[in-house]
Amino acid sequence: MNNSRRNFIKKTGAATLGAASIPAFSHYLHGSVAPSDQVNVALIGCRNMGFGILQHHLNMPGVNCVGLCDIDKNILEEKAGIVSRDYGQQAKLYGDFRRVLENKDIDAVIVGTPDHWHCLPTIYALQAGKDVYVEKPMANSIEECNRMVKAAQRYSKNFVQVGQQQRSGQHWNQINQLIKDGQIGKLRKTSVWGNFNYGIGQLKKPDTAVPEGVDFDMWLGPAKERSFNPTRFHGSWRMFWDYGGGLVTDWGVHLIDMAFWAKDISTPPKTIMASGGNLSFRDHNHETFDTMSVIFQFEDDYTVTWEHTAGTQTGPWDQNYGLAFVGDLGTIVADRSGFKLIPEWDNDKKAGKTEPMEKQVQGENHAEHVQDFVQCIRNREQPVCTPEIGRAVAVAAHSANIAIRSGAGLLHWDDQQGRFSNSDTANAYVIPKYRAPWELPEV
């Protein structure tokens, strides 16, 4: 059993399918918290997912918001008002995350920024002695992921929880255990797909002046200097290479993570083959690919595939996103609403080769993932989604994009060397070029 699975079972008691779960953190949710167990957090990047993660923190007694940081004063003031109104807490406001890290009262930071801003705050926070909850994908390039892992290993008194929250979901853990218990026989491949309208970005618009209250130079940070365009800012930044990687690094990371977990994979795939491009919606502004087909091949005779067709909301098994874990005895089809096990048919016995099963659930598992993080802050345990786990799936997703961007199509990844063994053109995408005065941290 891998460490993350062991830690989950230890913390939740969800060792068997359908067992009642009484989380070890339940007394934090419903009872008083000793002064020594108070946790002070700050949020860097307040607009959307980051603020949702903060709210899950503040829903736990004994967690205090002592800092909010954003480059948009409008967002900053709006969220500060919500924290004051809903939680009765007055957070100090910051426009520069480096000032946040100077505050010695802060125990942990949440990095909810666009992807290109994940690396620097995470490494600097570890250097400052803070624990970190960083959203996925772990970073916007392969080398940033590498250095974040090195930093977590070097500054090991603190830890990082990567926001791949399905690792904390009970039904995902149940699926994982069913596979490991042999309920579908040998797992041969996992098909993963995610079709979403938002993957095509927004309708094209002309550049505009920077909105009042926005520090756009700070928003760009290490990314190259560029004019302001509303279709590359709030809501759609992830469809541009300087800031994100499109659907495969957004939804793809969550789902591909489950495919890797089923085989306890914690390193990137050896072989990546990808095809696709921007094949439709020419009136929408996006650089990342609206259409992709990817194969990740591992040495142990295991294959993971990823497919997306942005601008559509249909997909295999009548689900716009999900996974199909394909084994010799049956297939498990899953998404965040639950799963079903569909047996293969035995012609000789005139019966299914395994028992059918179905489970319906509700929830995104963000709350459980945050609860795991807060428990780890108090107990100094490793969280269920470590930087090594985050790196494996992020490198895979970035490699898929690089296979198409470089024109190579087929790439061989050498994890020891941290490079592709068959394409110098692809290797040019491994290490990002930071805009001065920002520098990729040495660890």
Side-chain angles (χ1 to χ4, degrees), residues 136 162-168 253-254 257 369 385 389-390 393:
K136 59 82 222 153
V162 182
Q164 291 160 211
Q165 73 273 2
Q166 290 171 180
R167 292 262 172 171
S168 292
V253 162
H254 282 304
D257 184 34
H369 209 49
C385 193
I389 292 169
V393 67

Side-chain angles (χ1 to χ4, degrees), residues 248-263:
V248 71
T249 64
D250 187 27
W251 267 91
V253 162
H254 282 304
L255 302 174
I256 296 167
D257 184 34
M258 297 296 94
F260 285 15
W261 192 19
K263 285 279 193 176

Side-chain angles (χ1 to χ4, degrees), residues 139-395:
N140 198 40
S141 71
I142 292 175
E143 183 59 22
E144 288 175 314
C145 292
N146 295 341
R147 299 198 187 192
M148 291 165 76
V149 169
K150 290 179 182 177
Q153 292 170 348
R154 178 173 178 181
Y155 304 103
S156 57
K157 289 184 179 180
N158 295 92
F159 58 81
V160 176
Q161 172 90 297
V162 182
Q164 291 160 211
Q165 73 273 2
Q166 290 171 180
R167 292 262 172 171
S168 292
Q170 189 181 70
H171 86 284
W172 294 107
N173 275 265
Q174 291 171 351
I175 291 167
N176 191 279
Q177 195 62 47
L178 284 170
I179 293 169
K180 289 180 169 56
D181 288 344
Q183 290 295 313
I184 62 171
K186 179 182 179 181
L187 176 62
R188 294 161 57 183
K189 71 173 184 177
T190 300
S191 302
V192 190
W193 65 96
N195 298 329
F196 296 91
N197 284 333
Y198 79 91
I200 60 174
Q202 299 181 26
L203 283 167
K204 292 180 178 179
K205 297 178 182 177
D207 290 349
T208 68
V210 176
E212 186 175 352
V214 171
D215 185 347
F216 186 57
D217 185 70
M218 188 67 170
W219 187 89
L220 289 171
K224 67 185 179 184
E225 187 171 356
R226 200 169 189 177
S227 59
F228 182 85
N229 190 290
T231 66
R232 295 194 299 264
F233 193 47
H234 290 330
S236 291
W237 52 262
R238 71 177 70 254
M239 304 309 160
F240 298 88
W241 298 121
D242 288 340
Y243 325 121
L247 285 179
V248 71
T249 64
D250 187 27
W251 267 91
V253 162
H254 282 304
L255 302 174
I256 296 167
D257 184 34
M258 297 296 94
F260 285 15
W261 192 19
K263 285 279 193 176
D264 291 330
I265 293 166
S266 58
T267 55
K270 301 286 186 182
T271 303
I272 306 96
M273 184 167 62
S275 64
N278 284 317
L279 308 183
S280 192
F281 297 98
R282 304 292 185 184
D283 57 344
H284 282 66
N285 199 11
H286 62 283
E287 296 171 348
T288 60
F289 304 124
D290 59 36
T291 308
M292 284 186 76
S293 297
V294 187
I295 299 173
F296 303 109
Q297 184 69 45
F298 294 89
E299 288 182 347
D300 62 347
D301 299 324
Y302 180 52
T303 298
V304 175
T305 64
W306 164 260
E307 299 268 354
H308 79 243
T309 310
T312 70
Q313 296 271 94
T314 57
W317 301 94
D318 291 326
Q319 297 176 191
N320 69 307
Y321 76 94
L323 301 96
F325 301 92
V326 182
D328 290 331
L329 304 182
T331 295
I332 295 175
V333 180
D335 63 13
R336 291 179 178 176
S337 69
F339 69 89
K340 55 186 175 183
L341 194 164
I342 304 163
E344 288 295 316
W345 185 252
D346 189 321
N347 283 323
D348 295 330
K349 296 181 178 180
K350 304 302 180 186
K353 293 183 178 181
T354 188
E355 291 297 318
M357 192 178 301
E358 188 163 355
K359 182 179 179 65
Q360 299 297 319
V361 298
Q362 295 290 333
E364 298 285 334
N365 305 127
H366 287 112
E368 295 91 337
H369 209 49
V370 167
Q371 289 157 7
D372 178 74
F373 179 60
V374 172
Q375 182 183 5
C376 290
I377 293 173
R378 289 171 167 145
N379 296 343
R380 307 317 299 167
E381 298 177 350
Q382 283 297 308
V384 297
C385 193
T386 64
E388 289 80 5
I389 292 169
R391 172 185 177 270
V393 67
V395 170

